[in-house]
Amino acid sequence: MGVTGALAGCGGPAGSDDVTLRLVAADYGRSSADSSKKYWDGLVRGFEAQHPGTKVDVSVYSWNDVDRKVKEMVAAGHAPDMAQIGAYADYAAAGKLYQAEDVLSIPVQADFASELSDAGKVNRVQYGLPFAASTRLLFYNRTLFAQAGITAPTTWSELAADARALKAKGVKFPYALPLGPEEAQAETMQWLLSGGDGYLDGFGSYNFDSTQNVATFTWLKDELVDKGLTGPVEPAKLNRADAFAAFTRGEVGMLNGHPSLMKAAAAEGVKFGVVPMPGVDGRAKSTMGVADWMTAFRQNGHQDRIRDFLDYVYSEKNVLAFSREYDLLPVTNSAQEAMSASPRDADLAPFLEELPSSELYPVGKTSWAAVSADIKQQVGKAVGPEGSPAAVLGALQREAVTADGSAG
């Protein structure tokens, strides 16, 4: 859907100095009642009141459409001034984006959490401005765990034992493993990290078929999937949204989730707990973090006006307001400190604690979009009835190396 932010300018004569900035943004709401349109409308009203002569038009699209919409606009030669989307590296590599230092004041740029700033860089130059962040923790249903007489797991073997106990009590999805095409890249990365490796090696090259990664997926197949502990839906066909919905219905014992699942589960009366993702022999060394990005396009040349607007967007007040509205983590140090000190945000504290040591998708690689799409379509086969983790991860590695070479 397309919506337009408040357009009423305040003060100052109309003339050649008047500028209208165009922003395309993603919708974080679950319905029209909490659409991001409302957030941007309020923010734009406040900004325009303080900056006569600058107006901001905001178009909000669903996450299913927003990246495609921006791509089409750029291809047609009509890039927006700013786009709040899921990736930035392609546009940066093509020379279409302002660098962060071009469109942010020094104090605002310095306020970003360092791990997020680093993830926004291409060739050590920051182009992606982190806009929202989240981490993943293991959610478990306290009621089902009590009925099975078990406690939250801290190791893989404990997780498997808990899943067996839940299955014995008739739980539909002892551990929900969503490796379907919606967001398989997230579940995959979480498990690879908990197994001690990940998508990249220490030199920044793709690393899908490492010994540790193959061992991780072999364990998933042998100890969870083949033993019927992941529920009636084949992991390759289970999407994250469906797994979350099943959790809110009380049908899931455990699954990896992000902060927004808390509100959805609580609304349905599900009593749940959250713990760090178990590792092979104890707590995983790192969890998965996710960031969404603000970008500023060079095409229209509104650098100074964009800086004014983005400095306003990234004020502590506005960052906190957005994070609280959508159960996300603040991307600035000042807002994180305010959230950590506020009792009203206590439920987000466990997720916030994981952020400094989290690992994000390799979004600085221009090949990541293609590689991520390949993961979504292929990785579920690794744990299928006739699946071979080594073969599937090996194929993903070959495709990733090819994509990386083409992008480079």
Side-chain angles (χ1 to χ4, degrees), residues 79-239:
D81 294 285
M82 295 161 288
Q84 186 269 298
I85 48 180
Y88 63 85
D90 285 354
Y91 300 125
K96 296 183 182 297
L97 300 181
Y98 284 114
Q99 297 180 20
E101 64 184 19
D102 296 330
V103 289
L104 293 172
S105 66
I106 292 173
V108 171
Q109 187 179 3
D111 197 24
F112 286 131
S114 59
E115 66 275 9
L116 300 178
S117 288
D118 288 343
K121 294 178 180 178
V122 175
N123 296 326
R124 295 180 293 281
V125 177
Q126 186 181 356
Y127 295 93
L129 316 181
F131 182 73
S134 68
T135 53
R136 304 294 170 99
L137 293 175
L138 185 73
F139 282 67
Y140 64 98
N141 185 308
R142 289 185 181 275
T143 302
L144 298 179
F145 266 57
Q147 292 171 352
I150 54 179
T151 57
T154 59
T155 66
W156 283 7
S157 60
E158 290 176 4
L159 187 149
D162 285 350
R164 291 193 295 271
L166 291 164
K167 182 181 181 182
K169 288 292 185 178
V171 175
K172 188 173 183 179
F173 294 90
Y175 178 86
L177 183 66
L179 294 177
E182 179 194 356
E183 206 189 35
Q185 83 283 4
E187 185 74 12
T188 297
M189 183 170 172
Q190 183 67 74
W191 275 101
L192 296 186
L193 290 172
S194 72
D197 210 337
Y199 284 144
L200 304 180
D201 63 20
F203 302 99
S205 299
Y206 287 113
N207 194 38
F208 282 94
D209 59 351
S210 71
T211 300
Q212 284 174 293
N213 288 344
V214 171
T216 294
F217 262 75
T218 299
W219 186 89
L220 278 174
K221 177 174 168 55
D222 292 349
E223 301 301 324
L224 293 185
V225 181
D226 288 354
K227 293 184 177 179
L229 301 178
T230 54
V233 181
E234 190 177 335
K237 297 178 181 177
L238 182 64
N239 282 326

Side-chain angles (χ1 to χ4, degrees), residues 46-380:
F47 172 79
E48 291 180 347
Q50 295 180 21
H51 297 81
T54 303
K55 299 181 181 182
V56 185
D57 284 355
V58 184
S59 298
V60 176
Y61 296 98
S62 76
W63 273 109
N64 293 328
D65 300 323
V66 67
D67 289 286
R68 174 177 55 82
K69 288 284 188 181
V70 173
K71 186 175 182 180
E72 291 171 354
M73 293 170 71
V74 173
H78 301 298
D81 294 285
M82 295 161 288
Q84 186 269 298
I85 48 180
Y88 63 85
D90 285 354
Y91 300 125
K96 296 183 182 297
L97 300 181
Y98 284 114
Q99 297 180 20
E101 64 184 19
D102 296 330
V103 289
L104 293 172
S105 66
I106 292 173
V108 171
Q109 187 179 3
D111 197 24
F112 286 131
S114 59
E115 66 275 9
L116 300 178
S117 288
D118 288 343
K121 294 178 180 178
V122 175
N123 296 326
R124 295 180 293 281
V125 177
Q126 186 181 356
Y127 295 93
L129 316 181
F131 182 73
S134 68
T135 53
R136 304 294 170 99
L137 293 175
L138 185 73
F139 282 67
Y140 64 98
N141 185 308
R142 289 185 181 275
T143 302
L144 298 179
F145 266 57
Q147 292 171 352
I150 54 179
T151 57
T154 59
T155 66
W156 283 7
S157 60
E158 290 176 4
L159 187 149
D162 285 350
R164 291 193 295 271
L166 291 164
K167 182 181 181 182
K169 288 292 185 178
V171 175
K172 188 173 183 179
F173 294 90
Y175 178 86
L177 183 66
L179 294 177
E182 179 194 356
E183 206 189 35
Q185 83 283 4
E187 185 74 12
T188 297
M189 183 170 172
Q190 183 67 74
W191 275 101
L192 296 186
L193 290 172
S194 72
D197 210 337
Y199 284 144
L200 304 180
D201 63 20
F203 302 99
S205 299
Y206 287 113
N207 194 38
F208 282 94
D209 59 351
S210 71
T211 300
Q212 284 174 293
N213 288 344
V214 171
T216 294
F217 262 75
T218 299
W219 186 89
L220 278 174
K221 177 174 168 55
D222 292 349
E223 301 301 324
L224 293 185
V225 181
D226 288 354
K227 293 184 177 179
L229 301 178
T230 54
V233 181
E234 190 177 335
K237 297 178 181 177
L238 182 64
N239 282 326
R240 176 191 56 83
D242 296 329
F244 278 20
F247 188 82
T248 66
R249 294 194 300 268
E251 298 173 352
V252 174
M254 298 172 279
L255 84 172
N256 283 314
H258 51 62
S260 67
L261 181 56
M262 294 190 296
K263 184 179 292 185
E268 297 299 324
V270 175
K271 294 181 174 60
F272 63 89
V274 294
V275 293
M277 179 67 182
V280 179
D281 298 313
R283 177 173 172 170
K285 66 176 182 179
S286 63
T287 189
M288 189 188 76
V290 176
D292 302 325
W293 304 95
M294 178 72 77
T295 57
F297 285 85
R298 302 171 61 91
Q299 180 177 331
N300 303 313
H302 296 148
Q303 179 181 347
D304 291 343
R305 306 295 182 106
I306 292 172
R307 183 190 296 114
D308 289 342
F309 182 67
L310 291 179
D311 277 0
Y312 186 82
V313 167
Y314 284 106
S315 67
E316 180 184 316
K317 171 187 172 184
N318 287 326
V319 172
L320 270 177
F322 182 84
S323 301
R324 285 168 169 163
E325 176 66 26
Y326 297 108
D327 289 322
L328 292 164
L329 303 180
V331 296
T332 61
N333 292 312
S334 59
Q336 287 182 11
E337 289 166 6
M339 180 173 278
S340 296
S342 173
R344 68 180 286 191
D345 300 311
D347 57 344
L348 287 171
F351 296 90
L352 196 56
E353 289 169 7
E354 295 293 313
L355 190 58
S357 62
S358 66
E359 187 167 322
L360 280 69
Y361 295 134
V363 290
K365 296 173 77 69
T366 55
S367 58
W368 171 243
V371 171
S372 176
D374 205 28
I375 296 169
K376 292 177 183 180
Q377 296 300 321
Q378 302 300 328
V379 76

